[in-house]
């Protein structure tokens, strides 16, 4: 079945540092890929997405590129801020069969001033 | 446009009591999902509906849990009887199709959650 593996947290960085959160997936066909973010006390919200190979999703300074050859969708940001502290979830949805999302386990990010 | 609305935001109850959580999805959305989140188990999908019809309830823990969606604008998740291990944050989320008759976009809009504590 489909699965998503993302790097274990927690991740702690200083403000303005470069961020990478790794995400790899296993899926049949051509899934769409997502990053969701959860701020403390809130529900998840969509951060960015990519629907086909080589697509780059971007939002709020975050980027991720759909790499089919390495089955990866790593999240990056060039200069993190304290306000980026949150839990980040990588997810996919298959293009056939079941229409539910498969989520990774989440990576907690803390940015220190 | 209003987002996904859940109620109650917080519920504290005693073991054995019935709990009903409510969700109003975004108008025009075709899919509704119920998730449970705990520190130990993370985010778990309980059930999802497509056009008000339950499609996959394989994540519902046991017969004590039931979910209904009587119309496109309302869903409930019921736990009867509740147990301390049911303590969690329960999220409702909705999404729409890519095009009419198409598949789920995967772009879920989550509510703020209902925090349940069973004593």
């Amino acid at each position: 079945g489909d699965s998503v593996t993302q790097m274990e947290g927690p991740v702690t960085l200083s403000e303005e540092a470069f961020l990478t959160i790794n995400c790899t997936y296993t899926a049949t066909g051509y899934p769409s890929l997502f990053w969701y973010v959860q701020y403390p006390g809130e529900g998840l919200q969509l951060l960015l997405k990519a629907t086909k190979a080589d697509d780059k999703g971007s939002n709020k300074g975050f980027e991720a590129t759909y790499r089919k050859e390495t089955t990866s969708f790593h999240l990056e940001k060039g200069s993190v801020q304290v306000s980026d502290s949150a839990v980040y979830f990588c997810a996919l949805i298959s293009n056939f069969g079941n229409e539910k999302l498969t989520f990774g386990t989440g990576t907690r990010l803390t940015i220190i001033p | 446009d209003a987002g996904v609305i859940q109620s109650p935001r917080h519920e504290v109850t005693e073991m054995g009591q019935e709990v009903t959580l409510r969700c109003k999805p975004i108008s025009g959305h075709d899919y509704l999902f119920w998730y449970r989140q705990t520190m130990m188990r993370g985010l778990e999908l309980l059930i999802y509906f497509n056009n008000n019809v339950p499609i996959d309830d394989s994540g519902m823990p046991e017969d004590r849990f039931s979910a209904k969606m009587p119309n496109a604008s309302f869903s409930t998740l019921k736990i009867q009887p509740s147990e301390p291990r049911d303590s969690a944050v329960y999220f409702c989320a909705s999404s729409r199709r890519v095009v009419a008759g198409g598949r789920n976009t995967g772009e879920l809009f989550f509510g703020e959650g209902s925090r349940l504590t069973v004593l």
Side-chain angles (χ1 to χ4, degrees):
Chain A
D2 297 342
S3 68
V4 174
T5 302
Q6 58 182 109
M7 64 189 288
E8 293 282 332
V11 174
T12 303
L13 294 173
S14 298
E15 205 166 18
E16 300 183 3
F18 184 86
L19 168 70
T20 300
I21 301 178
N22 290 336
C23 172
T24 57
Y25 67 90
T26 301
T28 51
Y30 300 93
S32 292
L33 303 176
F34 307 86
W35 277 100
Y36 281 81
V37 59
Q38 184 178 28
Y39 298 103
E42 299 182 9
L44 282 70
Q45 55 186 271
L46 179 66
L47 179 60
L48 54 84
K49 69 171 186 177
T51 58
K52 60 183 187 296
D54 299 325
D55 268 3
K56 177 185 285 188
S58 61
N59 186 25
K60 298 181 181 179
F62 290 89
E63 293 182 340
T65 301
Y66 190 144
R67 302 287 189 199
K68 189 164 177 62
E69 63 276 14
T70 55
T71 62
S72 64
F73 193 55
H74 305 321
L75 182 68
E76 296 181 336
K77 186 175 185 182
S79 176
V80 293
Q81 305 301 313
V82 172
S83 57
D84 295 326
S85 298
V87 181
Y88 293 81
F89 293 87
C90 186
L92 68 83
I93 189 169
S94 177
N95 64 332
F96 67 94
N98 202 305
E99 295 185 85
K100 61 185 179 183
L101 267 72
T102 299
F103 282 94
T105 53
T107 302
R108 182 175 299 277
L109 173 66
T110 301
I111 307 302
I112 299 172
Chain B
D1 189 15
V4 174
I5 299 172
Q6 293 187 244
S7 65
R9 291 294 313 280
H10 302 275
E11 172 111 8
V12 180
T13 190
E14 294 190 345
M15 183 173 62
Q17 296 299 303
E18 178 179 294
V19 173
T20 298
L21 307 178
R22 298 172 176 81
C23 175
K24 177 178 170 56
I26 292 173
S27 177
H29 279 194
D30 308 283
Y31 300 85
L32 186 139
F33 301 80
W34 282 102
Y35 288 89
R36 177 173 69 178
Q37 188 176 40
T38 62
M39 289 296 292
M40 290 295 294
R41 297 186 297 268
L43 188 68
E44 303 172 279
L45 175 65
L46 301 177
I47 185 171
Y48 84 92
F49 296 83
N50 180 352
N51 285 346
N52 314 337
V53 176
I55 302 300
D56 185 344
D57 65 354
S58 60
M60 295 287 263
E62 49 201 91
D63 291 346
R64 297 185 298 105
F65 285 68
S66 63
K68 294 182 179 180
M69 192 166 185
N71 57 63
S73 58
F74 184 67
S75 177
T76 60
L77 177 68
K78 187 174 293 187
I79 308 172
Q80 167 62 22
S82 58
E83 296 182 4
R85 58 191 168 127
D86 302 330
S87 297
V89 181
Y90 291 81
F91 289 103
C92 176
S94 70
S95 62
R96 58 180 177 79
R97 302 185 188 288
V98 175
V99 294
R103 293 178 55 81
N104 185 7
T105 59
E107 298 176 20
L108 269 57
F109 291 79
F110 282 75
E112 294 186 322
S114 295
R115 181 176 294 276
L116 173 65
T117 302
V118 183
L119 303 175

